[in-house]
Amino acid sequence: IKLVALANLMDIARYFNGDWNFNSKKDNHGFAITSYYKTTGYPHYNVIAIDSTSDIYYGSPVFKNEADAQYVIDNPNFRDILDNIFKV
């Protein structure tokens, strides 16, 4: 389930990014979706900037624009995808 959800998020990022590709070894930056759990146990999603100096890039799908990543978070149609990826 997690792998299918991750593949779906990769497809969504590819759609938004067009022909742009993130390269962590070059001097460009992108935006990734991360998650943390509040005391309620529900995930809270946010967007973080990723660039060549980031030490937290783990191969997550990266969006070219912060607004696109935030749109994915805010869109209820993508909530199941994010929940399947980030829920423990």
Side-chain angles (χ1 to χ4, degrees), residues 32-83:
I33 297 173
T34 62
S35 172
Y36 68 90
Y37 287 82
K38 294 183 177 183
T39 57
T40 61
Y42 296 102
H44 174 76
Y45 301 110
N46 60 331
V47 178
I48 61 167
I50 303 291
D51 61 20
S52 61
T53 63
S54 298
D55 59 351
I56 57 171
Y57 175 65
Y58 300 111
S60 301
V62 177
F63 291 82
K64 179 179 180 180
N65 301 306
E66 183 177 10
D68 294 338
Q70 188 62 51
Y71 174 80
V72 171
I73 292 171
D74 295 339
N75 189 325
N77 294 323
F78 300 134
R79 182 56 52 149
D80 285 342
I81 293 171
L82 295 176
D83 287 348

Side-chain angles (χ1 to χ4, degrees), residues 20-25 28-31 50-52 57 62:
W20 179 82
N21 289 310
F22 176 71
N23 186 340
S24 63
K25 296 181 183 189
N28 65 3
H29 66 277
F31 301 91
I50 303 291
D51 61 20
S52 61
Y57 175 65
V62 177

Side-chain angles (χ1 to χ4, degrees), residues 14-27:
R14 190 174 303 118
Y15 171 80
F16 281 105
N17 293 340
D19 61 353
W20 179 82
N21 289 310
F22 176 71
N23 186 340
S24 63
K25 296 181 183 189
K26 290 188 177 180
D27 193 24

